[in-house]
Amino acid sequence: MWCWKKKSPLISEKSLPSVAEYILSEQCTKIVTMAGAGISTAAGIPDFRSPSSGLYAQLAALRLPYPEAVFDFDYFTQNPVPFFRICKEMYPKLKVKPTLTHYFIKLLDDKGLLLRHYTQNIDGLERKAGLCEDKLIQAHGTYETGHCLKCNKGYSLKWMETYVMSDTIPMCIACGALVKPDIILFGEGIPQRVVSKCRSDFRSCDLLLILGSSLTVEPIASFAGLVKKKCPRVLINRTPVQKRGFRFQNSDSRDIAWYGNSDEGCSTLALYLGWEKDLVKLMGNKK
Ligand code: CNA
């Protein structure tokens, strides 16, 4: 007689000690991390969705047709003023230091476990924490560089900042057209290079670690669905995330959620991994 035996998840208990045990096991050699704005709020950069401090909550004064219009490519080409107003808010904040979470991601790399880090953030803090180009995918681009929308001439953050901080729209010195920071606006689409790399990375990883993201912005949010059926998916986020396909509540599922600040979650994880001193050292070296 056939007896259907349900396969148990690779991580025995939905707890950080069990996650740490799995990370240290031979079964876990390739980790993909995926981060959102929540990993940078402790550095002083607001996220979009937290009710009082989030960026969308501050947009009322800009009289936008809808809050997301500020990051809409078509809207930007017609009226770049609100976008550059947000840039003016953001630029001074980009000078901040990475958070413990950024260093934890770098530590995973130093331990030889990081396959790739996918960030939706545009603040460049992963790079500041020391993550190299090869391990980092800035899926929504970056503020660090910019290009002319017509002739594609490249510009530095410093150049754009000079204009933006004095409430002037940056225009190309070669052809006079609008210059846009290299962040990807709604309607522009994620570069094909990112999408194809993403498919192979997510399909081959042994653990997906999601940090500080509401998982609402597509297509990145849905990449979490590309991992193998048994691959554990661990979310560390301040608030619960309602994302189709995740079963955090089911005791026998591979999805694990830990709710709280990502710095606290990552430092606790580092403690269970026995990496506490390494993390402190890494953060100290970068001061
Ligand atoms: P989001 O939709 O704003 O969600 C952020 C999530 O992080 C929320 O669920 C919060 O509860 C959670 N959160 C806030 N603070 C913490 C914390 N300290 N620890 C743990 N969790 C926390 O942002 P997503 O990243 O999910 O959405 C993607 C957008 C946001 C991308 O297009 C980004 O470009 C964009 N964004 C980036 C930045 C940045 O670069 N730092 C800032 C604001 C928005």
Side-chain angles (χ1 to χ4, degrees):
M1 191 179 143
W2 284 101
C3 175
W4 179 256
K5 194 165 178 277
K6 213 170 177 185
K7 284 185 179 166
S8 49
L10 290 167
I11 299 184
S12 53
E13 268 177 44
K14 289 178 183 268
S15 67
L16 292 185
S18 286
V19 173
E21 199 183 315
Y22 176 68
I23 291 175
L24 295 173
S25 75
E26 281 176 5
Q27 286 164 297
C28 183
T29 60
K30 285 176 275 175
I31 300 177
V32 165
T33 48
M34 196 172 142
I39 72 164
S40 295
T41 54
I45 303 175
D47 63 14
F48 282 173
R49 270 162 257 270
S50 291
S52 57
S53 59
L55 225 51
Y56 283 146
Q58 299 172 23
L59 295 177
L62 296 178
R63 295 168 183 242
L64 293 158
Y66 53 96
E68 286 87 352
V70 72
F71 294 115
D72 183 286
F73 182 75
D74 287 338
Y75 188 82
F76 171 77
T77 55
Q78 289 157 32
N79 179 16
V81 175
F83 174 80
F84 283 116
R85 194 74 61 76
I86 294 289
C87 290
K88 191 179 175 185
E89 281 273 311
M90 283 294 271
Y91 283 164
K93 295 191 172 110
L94 300 179
K95 303 200 171 32
V96 297
K97 284 186 187 145
T99 65
L100 182 145
T101 307
H102 292 97
Y103 288 109
F104 180 77
I105 296 162
K106 168 70 175 128
L107 189 56
L108 286 173
D109 187 30
D110 291 352
K111 297 284 181 186
L113 290 168
L114 187 72
L115 177 61
R116 210 88 55 200
H117 174 61
Y118 285 80
T119 186
Q120 300 176 81
N121 294 344
I122 47 198
D123 54 31
L125 289 183
E126 286 92 351
R127 210 192 296 272
K128 267 195 191 169
L131 210 59
C132 68
E133 200 74 35
D134 178 49
K135 291 291 164 137
L136 175 63
I137 302 272
Q138 293 174 305
H140 293 172
T142 174
Y143 271 116
E144 294 157 297
T145 51
H147 281 87
C148 167
L149 287 182
K150 196 171 170 200
C151 73
N152 207 33
K153 183 175 167 54
Y155 289 95
S156 68
L157 169 63
K158 208 169 169 215
W159 183 89
M160 292 181 288
E161 195 177 9
T162 314
Y163 286 88
V164 172
M165 294 315 282
S166 60
D167 293 314
T168 311
I169 304 295
M171 306 300 269
C172 180
I173 50 171
C175 75
L178 197 55
V179 171
K180 182 181 82 63
D182 290 337
I183 69 168
I184 295 163
L185 300 179
F186 294 122
E188 284 193 285
I190 305 278
Q192 198 47 46
R193 181 186 57 81
V194 172
V195 177
S196 51
K197 191 129 197 131
C198 191
R199 285 209 181 98
S200 62
D201 285 347
F202 279 66
R203 280 181 188 147
S204 65
C205 73
D206 305 313
L207 172 69
L208 176 63
L209 191 55
I210 305 164
L211 303 159
S213 174
S214 64
L215 289 181
T216 48
V217 178
E218 296 296 347
I220 288 294
S222 291
F223 288 154
L226 292 175
V227 297
K228 288 172 285 195
K229 279 214 159 61
K230 282 196 79 179
C231 173
R233 300 184 296 189
V234 176
L235 168 82
I236 294 182
N237 200 56
R238 190 184 277 170
T239 52
V241 164
Q242 313 291 337
K243 174 77 186 143
R244 244 182 79 208
F246 278 87
R247 297 186 305 141
F248 294 117
Q249 267 98 344
N250 285 36
S251 58
D252 62 348
S253 83
R254 43 67 185 267
D255 296 327
I256 298 171
W258 184 92
Y259 297 117
N261 291 333
S262 63
D263 285 358
E264 196 192 329
C266 290
S267 64
T268 309
L269 203 45
L271 184 75
Y272 290 125
L273 286 162
W275 297 351
E276 217 188 3
K277 280 188 184 153
D278 298 327
L279 186 57
V280 170
K281 194 173 164 203
L282 188 59
M283 292 175 73
N285 286 347
K286 287 279 170 183
K287 268 180 192 159

